[in-house]
Amino acid sequence: FRRIELDPKSKDELVEMGAAFNDMITLLERNYEKQEQFVSNASHELKTPITIIESYASLLKRRGLDRPELFHESVEAIHSEAVRMKELTEQLLLLARNRDEWQVKMEDVDLVELCEASAGAFRSAYHREVQVRSDQGAVYGWTDRQRLRQLLFIFLDNARKYSEEAVTVDIQTAGGQASIRITDRGIGIPKEELPYVFDRFYRVDEARSRKGGAGLGLSLAKDIAEAIEAELELDSLPGVGTTAVIRLKLAE
Ligand code: ADP
């Protein structure tokens, strides 16, 4: 917001100031509503894993000693819900943080090396096959290493959640740009849903939601892409699979 000097010289100027003031109030109201919605959605998303953890913990307290078969199931559930909550809070913290504090550091980054390293970390975390392909040994892009890694992880994670087979990452260059394509052969996204999947907390359907996340990954991806001057594209066909494309400027 820009502060204005309140010194109207005529009735017209006063009317103009009144209108500007009203516009500002509308904007503030809208932002406040968005904020409220965000907090309410976030609390709702956190409540589900907490409720599950609480009920399994209470089951363990009551029956854990005399029903050892319950032990394994409960500990598994508590662990996976705790992991889910940890991921969710990390996403929420990033989204809530002021963009100026993201500390973007643009530099020349070898995209092939970065994709190989991210795929390696992904393989060991999730035991899922990821193939990295490039027609060149090294492709230098102008980007922020840390943020691009985060972006790759969001798309790799979705590919893992919504498909069963190996995921591929292709690095190509064309017209002064580099592109990174993350492709899965999974359930895909219906065409009419594509415009919404980048919205905060949006999920294609509730049935997928226990397997998936809170609908925050892609909205975070959009923010990150903006911060590192990258373009995103999502192509998908239900039953065939999804390709996410990250386009970056090539290093000079
Ligand atoms: P989530 O954490 O729920 O996966 P995202 O914001 O990353 O949230 O994605 C929004 C929704 O888009 C997902 O809930 C899912 O329904 C759909 N989606 C995203 N990526 C894929 C994919 N690779 N294949 C199928 N559906 C996807």
Side-chain angles (χ1 to χ4, degrees):
F1 287 116
R2 192 169 51 84
R3 290 199 176 274
I4 43 172
E5 284 298 318
L6 289 178
D7 184 18
K9 301 275 187 297
S10 66
K11 194 173 165 219
D12 280 355
E13 268 191 53
L14 193 63
V15 170
E16 217 173 283
M17 271 179 194
F21 183 76
N22 281 337
D23 284 351
M24 215 170 337
I25 296 287
T26 310
L27 198 71
L28 280 174
E29 263 172 5
R30 253 187 236 143
N31 278 346
Y32 183 72
E33 272 164 27
K34 256 200 208 156
Q35 200 73 21
E36 250 185 355
Q37 190 65 44
F38 183 82
V39 172
S40 143
N41 284 340
S43 320
H44 179 82
E45 290 301 329
L46 284 168
K47 213 171 143 193
T48 312
I50 291 174
T51 309
I52 298 175
I53 290 174
E54 188 193 25
S55 66
Y56 273 106
S58 113
L59 183 69
L60 274 183
K61 231 167 94 181
R62 280 184 289 117
R63 317 281 298 275
L65 286 179
D66 46 298
R67 301 264 314 268
E69 75 279 8
L70 283 180
F71 188 81
H72 187 70
E73 181 194 331
S74 312
V75 171
E76 277 292 320
I78 288 174
H79 180 249
S80 72
E81 292 303 316
V83 168
R84 203 177 151 84
M85 258 179 78
K86 190 175 142 214
E87 283 170 5
L88 185 60
T89 41
E90 276 165 7
Q91 287 181 330
L92 287 172
L93 281 173
L94 259 179
L95 281 170
R97 199 175 296 162
N98 195 333
R99 235 33 112 67
D100 304 340
E101 292 166 38
W102 278 22
Q103 289 168 349
V104 172
K105 190 171 150 254
M106 301 293 276
E107 58 184 337
D108 293 353
V109 174
D110 179 0
L111 304 177
V112 180
E113 191 194 304
L114 187 101
C115 288
E116 296 274 13
S118 305
F122 203 80
R123 269 182 220 116
S124 55
Y126 295 107
H127 310 290
R128 273 291 288 272
E129 188 42 40
V130 185
Q131 286 169 17
V132 180
R133 301 185 296 213
S134 169
D135 45 8
Q136 296 165 52
V139 173
Y140 283 90
W142 176 245
T143 189
D144 175 309
R145 184 184 296 276
Q146 199 51 36
R147 298 290 163 213
L148 181 60
R149 213 177 137 91
Q150 249 172 350
L151 201 52
L152 276 170
F153 253 83
I154 291 173
F155 289 121
L156 284 173
D157 201 31
N158 279 351
R160 168 188 74 84
K161 287 186 295 193
Y162 306 110
S163 81
E164 306 287 338
E165 291 168 42
V167 177
T168 53
V169 178
D170 290 286
I171 303 130
Q172 285 161 346
T173 57
Q177 274 192 324
S179 61
I180 305 173
R181 283 165 205 276
I182 302 105
T183 304
D184 67 62
R185 302 259 157 258
I187 56 175
I189 305 168
K191 197 167 170 235
E192 64 275 16
E193 301 279 352
L194 274 174
Y196 306 109
V197 290
F198 286 92
D199 292 351
R200 299 235 197 291
F201 296 105
Y202 192 86
R203 285 185 287 238
V204 170
D205 62 52
E206 290 298 317
R208 317 175 172 201
S209 65
R210 283 314 297 163
K211 196 174 179 201
L216 288 177
L218 291 180
S219 76
L220 191 54
K222 201 169 104 183
D223 288 0
I224 295 173
E226 218 178 277
I228 63 170
E229 299 164 36
E231 285 166 27
L232 298 182
E233 188 187 307
L234 204 60
D235 301 313
S236 192
L237 259 185
V240 177
T242 304
T243 297
V245 190
I246 308 170
R247 280 184 233 282
L248 303 162
K249 256 187 249 158
L250 282 173
E252 300 253 304

